[in-house]
Amino acid sequence: MESKMAEIFFEGLIRIADDNLILGHRTSEWCGHAPTLEEDLALPNIALDLIGHAQTLYCLACEINPNYKNEDQLAFLRLEHEYKNLLIVEQENGDFGNTVLRLFYFSTYMKYFWQRVKLACSLKKLKEFSEKAFLETSYHSKYASQWVVTLGDGTDESNKKMSDAVVTLDPFLGELFNNDDFTEMCSQSDFLPEPLSIFDSWKSEVKAILQKGNLDLPDISLKKRGGRIGEHSETFGYLLSDLQYCLLYTSPSPRDRG
């Protein structure tokens, strides 16, 4: 593989993997705290799916970049500015409504993302993995959408909380669809789809679900960004310290693993 293509593939895999790892960690924080026993089982299982996606992507990245021995080095042993996840996935959970709305936004985006990867991707192993990822993110999207409708079309209080969640997450949505020079190179290399190419499909589905929940989709524009270039919000540092503490102080160091 040419050096330039290897760099593009590595960076692209890291972006998607970081999104899934960080949102997986955030979602796992509901374990033991969800409003019902069923959700106390469902949310950690979704978190496992997300972290599993991250693990697969990190493993593929390690095959491309021999400087990393294993996926744990990529997941846990980088500096804060080296993580390239979207800002929306690192934000604190807030209440249950905020969590399921974010999950709905992100998983619906990823459903269409994986669908496009499945149709055309020059990295064979990623294309093969996309089938599994598409099925799982489709389930995540459906699960979260049902809660968005239930809470939005529920009591006055639940509708207000969902309306507040729409406002809270609004500034971070534009970054989902932000094309840059790197995403253009990925598209030209038949590697990853450009984010903006997903927008119309995403908007149509999300708007329909929000309407069922008596909620309005805000006008989406680029308000907050920086995650893709390693510029994160203050809350990310605390999240990363939790991840690194759990690894470094409760298990053998991944530096010693081959």
Side-chain angles (χ1 to χ4, degrees):
M1 185 183 299
E2 295 181 3
S3 176
K4 182 63 175 178
M5 287 304 301
E7 290 178 8
I8 292 174
F9 284 175
F10 181 78
E11 170 76 12
L13 290 168
I14 289 299
R15 286 187 177 199
I16 317 167
D18 288 349
D19 288 341
N20 282 273
L21 174 70
I22 300 305
L23 185 58
H25 177 72
R26 278 299 189 212
T27 306
S28 75
E29 292 175 339
W30 279 99
C31 185
H33 301 283
T36 68
L37 179 60
E38 184 176 356
E39 309 323 313
D40 212 23
L41 297 173
L43 287 173
N45 274 292
I46 289 174
L48 286 173
D49 285 344
L50 293 169
I51 294 170
H53 294 180
Q55 182 180 24
T56 297
L57 296 166
Y58 286 138
C59 286
L60 290 178
C62 288
E63 293 178 11
I64 294 170
N65 188 337
N67 292 325
Y68 295 93
K69 292 182 179 180
N70 54 61
E71 67 273 23
D72 283 348
Q73 283 187 289
L74 284 169
F76 302 111
L77 298 181
R78 286 178 289 154
L79 299 175
E80 183 174 331
H81 71 273
E82 295 175 311
Y83 286 82
K84 302 300 177 68
N85 58 275
L86 296 163
L87 295 179
I88 192 172
V89 300
E90 70 189 42
Q91 302 307 305
E92 294 181 343
N93 286 327
D95 58 31
F96 182 72
N98 193 84
T99 294
V100 293
L101 182 61
R102 175 176 60 183
L103 180 61
F104 174 55
Y105 283 158
F106 179 78
S107 57
T108 303
Y109 172 86
M110 290 305 299
K111 175 178 67 174
Y112 290 111
F113 177 91
W114 288 122
Q115 185 180 56
R116 283 161 172 74
V117 171
K118 184 172 60 169
L119 292 174
C121 178
S122 54
L123 187 59
K124 182 180 178 181
K125 289 186 178 181
L126 183 64
K127 186 174 182 178
E128 292 171 348
F129 171 70
S130 66
E131 177 67 34
K132 176 178 184 291
F134 170 75
L135 293 174
E136 291 181 347
T137 51
S138 295
Y139 165 74
H140 301 165
S141 176
K142 182 178 180 180
Y143 166 85
S145 70
Q146 291 171 339
W147 269 113
V148 171
V149 173
T150 297
L151 295 173
D153 193 36
T155 65
D156 290 342
E157 181 180 0
S158 68
N159 178 267
K160 182 181 184 306
K161 287 187 175 182
M162 290 306 300
S163 298
D164 290 344
V166 170
V167 173
T168 298
L169 295 174
D170 171 36
F172 304 101
L173 286 177
E175 192 182 29
L176 267 174
F177 307 101
N178 184 42
N179 288 351
D180 56 24
D181 291 341
F182 178 77
T183 60
E184 184 177 345
M185 286 190 292
C186 286
S187 178
Q188 291 174 350
S189 304
D190 294 325
F191 175 40
L192 300 176
E194 286 193 298
L196 192 58
S197 69
I198 298 171
F199 179 70
D200 288 342
S201 299
W202 180 92
K203 181 180 179 181
S204 178
E205 180 170 346
V206 169
K207 186 175 182 180
I209 291 297
L210 291 181
Q211 286 178 342
K212 289 182 180 179
N214 297 313
L215 302 165
D216 296 319
L217 180 67
D219 292 330
I220 298 172
S221 60
L222 188 60
K223 300 180 180 72
K224 291 189 178 183
R225 62 176 171 176
R228 290 304 194 209
I229 58 174
E231 296 176 356
H232 298 281
S233 49
E234 182 180 358
T235 187
F236 184 72
Y238 297 103
L239 182 153
L240 186 58
S241 66
D242 285 344
L243 284 175
Q244 294 177 335
Y245 177 88
C246 289
L247 178 78
L248 296 176
Y249 293 98
T250 63
S251 63
S253 171
R255 293 188 180 92
D256 300 327
R257 293 166 54 186

